Amino acid sequence: METKIGDNIAVAVDLLRNNQLVAIPTETVYGLAGNGISHNAIFAIFEAKNRPFFDPLILHFDRISAIEPFVQDFHPLLKKLAVHFWPGPLTVLLPRSEKVPDLITSGLDRVAVRIPNHPITLALLHQLDFPLAAPSANPFGYISPTTAAHVFAQLNGKIPYILDGGSTSIGLESTIIGEENGQIIIYRLGGTAIEKIEEIVGKVIINTNKSSNPTAPGMLKSHYAPRKPLRLFHTIAELETIIPKNEKSAVMTFAAEYKSPNSKSYILSINRDDKEAAKNLFAVLREMDNSDATHLFAQLLPENGLGLAINDRLQRAAV
Ligand code: TXA
Ligand code: MG
């Protein structure tokens, strides 16, 4: 199969209506989209990504009213957050209705839903009368794609079309939330910072499961990983104790350049801006993975704002 890249929404509509897969831009990362109520399309997503069936998928919509038939209930606190942050990098777990295929939720009682904030994908959803199931458009376990070229590099030949919407503006997957006993729970740290959520609903509980076989809200311990071994550090002094002196290394820092004869320096944000760092994170990790370095190193960020989600991704990517 030849994989084409373009910005033709009509082509994407046509393919999706015929149960084919299309990579779509969102504000977080690129998604690998298919008809979310078609068994064949959903099956094809798992197959193209090499994804285990125990890892459930997010359904994407263009408006809240379109979500209602797929859920039994929308807790007022979750609705308040959804109304505030949508369209945007937030996914909400809600009790599913019988309209949701079992394959979408891996048999769980709740379905993950979100309204992404990208004009092309919103226009696309507007023309469809079904939601789009879309995991990140990377092979299972690898770094998520933030450009159409990243998608092409790995899914070339496996899908017919990549809808090109430029570089993603947030660069980290959505924050996943839900409600248990009246409490808001964060299941995955992501593009919506916890502080922003707490401004709306007060204190939340963080429950980012790090098991290697998630049967509950899923987050795998090892994920987002480059092919080469990645190790983490806080300070340059710490880095110097672990970096091999005679081998080629790639070193990612938050803001300050790291100079040494056998290593190449990659900076996430000269301005120490967590949002800029998030936007650059996955592209820089890929670049390091594709460089001639044999050892990769990354600096952990201060634990606030998007720094928390960045560190979560780095920890899952590291050996
Ligand atoms: O930003 C995003 O969320 C991107 C874009 C494309 O929308 N999508 C994304 O999907 O990151 P994916 O499949 O790569 O990650 C979705 C995560 C998985 O860890 C999955 O286990 C969890 O959401 N998830 C999905 N449905 C769930 C459910 N019903 N209960 C618990 N966890 C769920
Ligand atoms: Mg993913």
Side-chain angles (χ1 to χ4, degrees):
M1 181 189 303
E2 192 197 348
T3 302
K4 292 201 172 117
I5 303 182
D7 57 7
N8 192 330
I9 295 175
V11 168
V13 167
D14 210 52
L15 288 165
L16 290 163
R17 283 190 183 139
N18 286 297
N19 279 341
Q20 307 248 44
L21 305 186
V22 174
I24 57 166
T26 82
E27 79 283 28
T28 60
V29 300
Y30 273 72
L32 177 58
N35 179 342
I37 52 174
S38 153
H39 189 276
N40 288 344
I42 301 165
F43 200 85
I45 292 174
F46 281 96
E47 200 152 67
K49 268 195 70 120
N50 239 327
R51 181 175 174 117
F53 288 106
F54 65 70
D55 199 4
L57 303 176
I58 299 171
L59 288 180
H60 297 69
F61 298 83
D62 65 336
R63 57 191 190 279
I64 289 187
S65 62
I67 296 175
E68 276 154 12
F70 292 87
V71 302
Q72 288 179 37
D73 165 54
F74 207 144
H75 190 281
L77 286 177
L78 292 176
K79 192 156 213 174
K80 194 172 178 187
L81 290 168
V83 167
H84 189 271
F85 289 106
W86 282 347
L90 185 75
T91 292
V92 182
L93 297 186
L94 296 171
R96 63 189 269 206
S97 78
E98 74 291 343
K99 268 184 89 98
V100 178
D102 281 340
L103 263 180
I104 289 288
T105 64
S106 308
L108 297 171
D109 295 339
R110 290 186 293 183
V111 59
V113 297
R114 95 174 184 101
I115 303 181
N117 189 14
H118 194 291
I120 290 181
T121 289
L122 286 172
L124 171 65
L125 283 163
H126 199 65
Q127 291 186 45
L128 299 171
D129 58 5
F130 50 81
L132 289 174
S136 50
N138 48 283
F140 185 71
Y142 195 65
I143 305 164
S144 297
T146 54
T147 67
H150 292 167
V151 180
F152 188 82
Q154 286 172 314
L155 296 183
N156 178 23
K158 291 194 168 174
I159 56 172
Y161 201 60
I162 300 170
L163 199 49
D164 191 349
S167 292
T168 61
S169 58
I170 303 283
L172 289 174
E173 298 82 354
S174 58
T175 300
I176 303 182
I177 63 169
E179 170 270 331
E180 291 176 30
N181 305 317
Q183 283 279 353
I184 298 297
I185 319 276
I186 311 272
Y187 300 103
R188 177 173 74 180
L189 299 167
T192 300
I194 292 178
E195 294 92 326
K196 302 268 178 225
I197 292 173
E198 291 189 330
E199 276 170 27
I200 313 288
V201 294
K203 211 74 195 136
V204 299
I205 295 169
I206 301 175
N207 179 15
T208 51
N209 175 4
K210 289 194 174 156
S211 116
S212 55
N213 182 12
T215 48
M219 278 292 285
L220 292 165
K221 191 171 182 303
S222 167
H223 218 68
Y224 313 100
R227 289 176 297 266
K228 294 173 185 165
L230 170 73
R231 292 176 69 190
L232 309 181
F233 63 94
H234 291 92
T235 61
I236 297 301
E238 191 184 343
L239 170 67
E240 304 238 284
T241 66
I242 55 174
I243 195 166
K245 298 286 178 277
N246 301 317
E247 279 162 289
K248 285 198 168 147
S249 298
V251 176
M252 182 174 97
T253 53
F254 182 21
E257 189 180 6
Y258 174 70
K259 284 206 178 120
S260 103
N262 260 333
S263 77
K264 185 158 184 240
S265 168
Y266 298 82
I267 297 170
L268 285 185
S269 169
I270 293 173
N271 308 313
R272 300 185 69 82
D273 174 15
D274 60 328
K275 292 190 196 67
E276 187 182 23
K279 186 171 154 50
N280 291 329
L281 177 71
F282 288 146
V284 170
L285 267 180
R286 265 174 200 263
E287 212 184 313
M288 288 166 57
D289 206 18
N290 293 332
S291 74
D292 63 359
T294 51
H295 292 68
L296 314 186
F297 296 87
Q299 182 173 37
L300 291 157
L301 267 68
E303 295 260 309
N304 52 54
L306 296 185
L308 281 169
I310 292 171
N311 289 353
D312 171 89
R313 299 302 185 273
L314 288 175
Q315 272 145 4
R316 291 174 202 275
V319 290

